[in-house]
Amino acid sequence: MKKEIIIEYDKTKESGNIFLILAMVREELIKNRRIDEFNNLRDKVYASKSYEETLQNISKVVTLKEKNC
């Protein structure tokens, strides 16, 4: 069973930057020996057309939790 990975972000601040979120996801997936999964996700993120679509793609691999303001 895969360990649930939770990434917290605030889309109104720096932590909401897609590339920062992707870097946090990468770090966690590498720790969990899931680099192939990251590579597939990265390709989907680069092909995404919007911020929301990108978050949806990332959410298929990890749990994204938006911080409350």
Side-chain angles (χ1 to χ4, degrees):
M1 185 171 148
K2 293 180 184 176
K3 176 185 168 192
E4 180 183 17
I5 297 173
I6 300 171
I7 304 293
E8 290 190 1
Y9 73 100
D10 182 340
K11 68 183 193 178
T12 65
K13 297 190 178 169
E14 182 180 348
S15 66
N17 178 288
I18 287 298
F19 296 106
L20 183 58
I21 293 171
L22 192 59
M24 291 186 289
V25 171
R26 179 181 182 273
E27 182 178 325
E28 291 300 318
L29 289 178
I30 287 174
K31 284 182 191 176
N32 288 279
R33 300 174 188 244
R34 294 166 57 187
I35 192 66
D36 288 336
E37 199 170 352
F38 170 76
N39 290 336
N40 292 332
L41 173 63
R42 181 197 57 220
D43 294 343
K44 287 180 183 177
V45 165
Y46 289 165
S48 296
K49 305 282 188 235
S50 69
Y51 186 81
E52 293 304 321
E53 180 183 352
T54 303
L55 292 179
Q56 288 174 359
N57 285 325
I58 294 171
S59 293
K60 293 176 184 174
V61 178
V62 299
T63 301
L64 289 177
K65 184 176 178 184
E66 188 173 356
K67 294 179 184 177
N68 295 331
C69 298

